Amino acid sequence: MLEKCLVVDDHEMIRETIAIMAKSLGFKESITAVDGADAISKLYHHRPSLIITDLQMEPIDGLEMLRLIRSGRYGLSNDIPIIILTANASEQVIAQCIAFDVDAFLVKPVNRKSLQDRITQLSQQAKPKKTIEHYFSMYQQDPAKSTAFQVNGTVAFNDEDLREFDMLLHGEKAKTPPPSSVQNPRQYAQNTEVTKPDDRNKFIKWQDRFTVDNEELDTSNKELLNIINDTYDLILEHREDQAFEGVSNRFQHYVKQHIFREEALLEEHGYARLKIHRDIHLRLVRQADFVVLKCQADPSFYKTDFFKFLRFWWVKHVIQEDTKYRSIFSGE
C-alpha cells in the first residue's frame, strides 16, 4: 500500500503539508492535485495506492471523484482506498460517501498521528468493494440520499424504536425516553433510576437476565456494556470529540471478536437458528460500519448516532436475540 499517495486539496498549504506527512509515514512518493479533475488525470498516469482528498473543490469535488472512481469511469481502478477529509460536511454528503464505500474519513485539521491511525487501519483491514456494475448503477440512478440509519434502503431503527427499546431496557421505571441528542442525560438518568449514588455515570448495570449461560460470551457482552457506560460517561462529562475514538475502537474489536467466537460456539452446539443469527450479524456489522464512518467524518455523531446504535445493539440483539440460545448452554 505504501507506494504512491495522491493528495487532493484546493488549499496549497494543506495539500503540501499532508503530502509531506504521507512521505514521513512511509510512502515512497506523494503526488498532489488541486481538485477532482486534476486528480483524475494524475490517477490515470500515476496509479497511486491511496487517495487522500478534500470534499469541497471545484469543478469536481471529492464526492463526485469518489463516485467516478468507484463506477470505473475513465478506466480507473475502482477499488483504490480513499480517505476523505471533512470539515462541516452535511449528513447527506457523508451518507453518500459511505454509500460509495469510502474507506475512511479524517476531520480537518489533520495531524500526523490521526493520518497514521487511518493508514494503519486501512493496511490492517481493507474495506471490501462491490462490483463496478453496482456502483455504476448507483451513479446512473443518482438515488435519494440516505438518512442516518438507512442502509441499502432498509431503515435500521427510528426514534419510535429508540423509545421502545429504552422501555425494554429499563422496565416500567423508564417514564421518559432519553432525548435523541442526549441533551440532558443526567436528568434522564434521574428519571429512569438507571444510576445509583455509588455508581459513576453508568447508563445500565449488568443484570442476571442478560446472561446467556456461557461465561465466555457473558464476559464479552459485559465488555459491550462497559463500552456503553463509558460512552455515556464521556457524554455526561462533556469530553472532547477525540475522546470517543477509543471507545469506538473497542466497539469495533468487540464486534469482530464476539461475532467470530459466538458463531463458532453456536455451530458447535447445533443451534437451530444459527443461519438467522448469522444474517442478523451481517446486517448489524453493515450498520456498525456505517455509524463508525459517520463518526469519523463528524465526531459529534458519537454523542448521538453512536450512542443510539450501542443501545440498539444491546437491547435488540443481546437481550432480545442472544438470550434465545441460552438453553443450549444451560441444558434446559
Side-chain angles (χ1 to χ4, degrees):
M1 180 179 176
L2 301 180
E3 290 295 325
K4 298 179 182 178
C5 177
L6 173 61
V7 181
V8 190
D9 199 300
D10 56 4
H11 193 291
E12 182 180 5
M13 182 176 293
I14 294 174
R15 184 172 68 243
E16 296 301 328
T17 299
I18 294 176
I20 292 169
M21 285 182 192
K23 286 203 72 174
S24 74
L25 292 172
F27 279 93
K28 296 178 181 177
E29 184 178 358
S30 287
I31 306 154
T32 60
V34 298
D35 55 45
D38 186 24
I40 288 171
S41 174
K42 299 284 176 63
L43 277 168
Y44 186 80
H45 290 96
H46 295 277
R47 305 289 173 174
S49 51
L50 173 69
I51 300 171
I52 303 170
T53 180
D54 190 26
L55 265 179
Q56 298 178 335
M57 301 176 294
E58 296 289 345
I60 296 178
D61 63 19
L63 172 58
E64 181 63 8
M65 184 176 69
L66 170 67
R67 284 157 48 92
L68 289 169
I69 292 170
R70 293 288 183 254
S71 304
R73 309 297 293 273
Y74 310 113
L76 301 173
S77 174
N78 86 313
D79 60 353
I80 182 170
I82 299 174
I83 298 174
I84 285 185
L85 308 177
T86 58
N88 303 317
S90 72
E91 190 169 357
Q92 287 185 336
V93 170
I94 292 169
Q96 287 183 79
C97 291
I98 295 172
F100 279 86
D101 287 327
V102 65
D103 291 87
F105 289 98
L106 258 179
V107 179
K108 288 182 172 181
V110 178
N111 59 51
R112 190 178 186 278
K113 183 182 184 307
S114 63
L115 180 60
Q116 183 176 30
D117 289 345
R118 290 292 180 266
I119 291 172
T120 301
Q121 169 194 329
L122 297 186
S123 64
Q124 290 176 348
Q125 186 175 10
K127 187 173 182 178
K129 304 300 187 298
K130 303 177 184 68
T131 64
I132 287 177
E133 291 75 17
H134 171 85
Y135 298 115
F136 186 66
S137 175
M138 289 174 59
Y139 186 86
Q140 284 185 311
Q141 295 170 12
D142 194 20
K145 299 169 180 60
S146 300
T147 54
F149 284 95
Q150 185 168 319
V151 181
N152 296 328
T154 302
V155 176
F157 64 87
N158 53 36
D159 288 342
E160 186 61 34
D161 292 320
L162 286 175
R163 285 190 285 273
E164 175 192 345
F165 64 70
D166 277 316
M167 288 292 290
L168 288 166
L169 183 61
H170 303 303
E172 292 303 317
K173 295 178 181 178
K175 304 294 185 185
T176 306
S180 59
S181 61
V182 201
Q183 292 174 342
N184 192 0
R186 285 190 188 278
Q187 185 63 47
Y188 171 65
Q190 294 168 5
N191 290 342
T192 60
E193 299 181 26
V194 175
T195 58
K196 294 183 179 180
D198 59 343
D199 292 331
R200 182 179 178 273
N201 297 335
K202 284 189 177 180
F203 186 74
I204 188 69
K205 290 178 65 177
W206 177 265
Q207 302 173 38
D208 289 342
R209 66 190 177 99
F210 300 154
T211 184
V212 296
D213 283 331
N214 179 279
E215 185 177 356
E216 182 179 359
L217 295 180
D218 280 348
T219 299
S220 180
N221 280 331
K222 286 176 183 177
E223 169 57 15
L224 176 59
L225 197 59
N226 287 334
I227 291 167
I228 294 171
N229 286 331
D230 288 347
T231 303
Y232 181 64
D233 184 64
L234 290 173
I235 293 169
L236 290 185
E237 297 301 320
H238 303 288
R239 295 289 297 277
E240 294 295 325
D241 292 338
Q242 294 84 347
F244 289 85
E245 189 147 338
V247 290
S248 174
N249 291 337
R250 285 165 55 198
F251 175 62
Q252 292 174 72
H253 179 76
Y254 161 84
V255 170
K256 288 187 290 186
Q257 298 298 317
H258 180 83
I259 287 178
F260 174 80
R261 189 59 186 141
E262 182 185 57
E263 290 184 355
L265 286 169
L266 295 183
E267 184 173 17
E268 180 183 324
H269 285 76
Y271 183 48
R273 286 172 51 86
L274 179 56
K275 184 181 185 305
I276 295 172
H277 207 79
R278 279 181 168 147
D279 289 342
I280 292 171
H281 281 166
L282 287 173
R283 292 195 297 272
L284 282 171
V285 169
R286 285 199 298 268
Q287 292 161 6
D289 288 344
F290 183 86
V291 173
V292 168
L293 278 170
K294 276 190 69 177
C295 293
Q296 284 185 4
D298 183 349
S300 68
F301 287 122
Y302 282 120
K303 300 171 185 176
T304 55
D305 294 38
F306 183 70
F307 188 50
K308 284 181 182 180
F309 187 67
L310 292 178
R311 286 151 51 200
F312 175 82
W313 187 300
W314 182 260
V315 175
K316 289 293 187 179
H317 189 61
V318 175
I319 297 178
Q320 293 188 347
E321 187 62 36
D322 286 358
T323 52
K324 290 178 182 177
Y325 62 67
R326 182 185 295 158
S327 60
I328 69 171
F329 297 116
S330 65
E332 295 177 358

